[in-house]
Amino acid sequence: MNKAFFAAFLAIFLFISSSTTYAAQNQIKVDGVTITSDVKPEMKNKRTMVPLRVISESLGASVEWSDSEVILAKSEMKVKLTVNRSTAEKNGRKMLLDVKPYTKNNRIYVPLRFIAEAFGCNVNYSNFAVTVDTKPLFINGVQVKALQQEYRMTLGGVVQQIHGNAYNETIYNIFAKNKGEKVEAPENYSWSLTLDTPGSYYKNAQYDFLDQKGKSLARFDIYSLIRTYPPELLTGYPETLIHDVSNDEWYLFNDTAGKSIYQLIDTAGKNGFLKIISNTVV
């Protein structure tokens, strides 16, 4: 009787332990945020395999693929993987993988540790999650904790923050690299739609890169020309401007860069990196 009880207890214990381990491997945190995905990571040969889209977006890497070959790139690092092949390339140097990338349910799965460490991230395992810590963004030697975006509508506004290092770095670089020609500040610009003056600008949103105490290290405001007048009255007025508030400088800014920022924020929200601080929209 005692032997039968012990055997049953052991079986239950092993089941719970294996289930806990499996569950742990299926919860992945990047920079302290539990990432969300329409498909879960899974274990294969004791390795955590993750959907390509989720890990590439969370680490700030761009993705190119053709047929069965995938290229992940970020800054000076380029990683090339091939589905069902145990060799990969990191900046042209061949490396052996413990588990081959594979496809399942129209998703490409790649080894988490290899990808994360290739892009300079630390990977740790605990009883409850796999944690990935990416390199933080520094502005003037001070670490950025979050990017805060604020935008307003006719009635109310929204303040929200992104807490993923990769998203914050990518968005900051978009601002830094897409400043056009330096220009004078427009005569009329505000949160309000100024409809009685040609050449007025409406602030689409403001972006503050915050330090650990919530203080703004750098701020950029994006403005759009208000087009409520005949085109001939708006000749010579740029379509989009950016105000580097920290340095009180104005530059031309292109619409494509602005759309890229909106897309990144939308992606950050889908993957669990965005937190709404306030929403007063009626």
Side-chain angles (χ1 to χ4, degrees):
M1 185 68 176
N2 289 337
K3 290 183 178 180
F5 176 81
F6 177 77
F9 173 81
L10 181 60
I12 293 173
F13 175 78
L14 291 175
F15 174 78
I16 292 174
S17 298
S18 62
S19 297
T20 302
T21 302
Y22 182 78
Q25 304 303 330
N26 277 272
Q27 185 183 39
I28 296 177
K29 291 185 177 182
V30 177
D31 297 331
V33 177
T34 301
I35 61 175
T36 58
S37 174
D38 56 347
V39 292
K40 292 183 178 181
E42 56 187 39
M43 295 296 294
K44 189 170 184 180
N45 296 342
K46 298 182 179 181
R47 294 292 183 266
T48 303
M49 306 296 289
V50 293
L52 174 65
R53 181 190 63 80
V54 170
I55 194 61
S56 62
E57 291 175 349
S58 299
L59 300 184
S62 63
V63 182
E64 297 180 11
W65 65 82
S66 61
D67 298 327
S68 60
E69 186 178 85
V70 179
I71 297 176
L72 303 179
K74 180 182 179 182
S75 299
E76 302 300 319
M77 179 57 65
K78 181 178 291 186
V79 175
K80 183 184 296 184
L81 301 163
T82 305
V83 174
N84 295 324
R85 184 175 295 178
S86 58
T87 56
E89 289 186 16
K90 189 169 74 171
N91 279 356
R93 184 165 62 93
K94 291 187 179 297
M95 305 189 70
L96 187 65
L97 300 174
D98 292 332
V99 182
K100 301 175 183 178
Y102 59 89
T103 57
K104 182 178 178 180
N105 298 329
N106 295 321
R107 299 290 192 278
I108 297 177
Y109 282 77
V110 294
L112 171 63
R113 180 178 287 277
F114 173 79
I115 299 298
E117 291 182 347
F119 290 102
C121 305
N122 295 319
V123 182
N124 294 289
Y125 295 83
S126 69
N127 293 329
F128 302 100
V130 180
T131 60
V132 179
D133 297 315
T134 68
K135 290 183 178 180
L137 169 67
F138 286 84
I139 297 178
N140 297 325
V142 181
Q143 182 176 333
V144 172
K145 180 180 180 180
L147 166 60
Q148 180 166 289
Q149 181 204 46
E150 179 178 354
Y151 62 90
R152 300 180 184 179
M153 305 179 73
T154 304
L155 296 174
V158 176
V159 178
Q160 53 192 16
Q161 293 181 357
I162 299 175
H163 289 270
N165 292 331
Y167 291 101
N168 295 341
E169 178 187 18
T170 302
I171 293 173
Y172 181 80
N173 288 337
I174 289 176
F175 282 121
K177 295 178 180 180
N178 287 276
K179 290 180 181 178
E181 179 184 348
K182 190 174 181 180
V183 296
E184 295 294 326
E187 293 185 7
N188 297 286
Y189 58 94
S190 70
W191 283 109
S192 304
L193 286 171
T194 307
L195 304 178
D196 57 349
T197 306
S200 296
Y201 285 82
Y202 171 74
K203 183 156 76 168
N204 296 320
Q206 70 180 42
Y207 300 85
D208 285 279
F209 292 86
L210 307 178
D211 66 11
Q212 301 298 312
K213 296 181 179 180
K215 179 182 177 182
S216 180
L217 297 170
R219 176 175 147 191
F220 300 95
D221 297 343
I222 297 179
Y223 287 85
S224 292
L225 178 64
I226 300 174
R227 290 195 165 277
T228 55
Y229 287 85
E232 56 269 19
L233 294 180
L234 301 177
T235 301
Y237 289 102
E239 185 70 29
T240 308
L241 296 174
I242 182 174
H243 183 197
D244 181 346
V245 180
S246 304
N247 298 306
D248 194 21
E249 296 174 339
W250 289 78
Y251 298 89
L252 301 180
F253 199 64
N254 66 74
D255 189 54
T256 301
K259 289 180 179 178
S260 296
I261 292 173
Y262 298 143
Q263 181 62 53
L264 282 165
I265 292 176
D266 181 64
T267 301
K270 291 178 180 177
N271 290 339
F273 289 88
L274 188 144
K275 179 181 179 182
I276 295 178
I277 305 302
S278 67
N279 185 345
T280 58
V281 177
V282 179

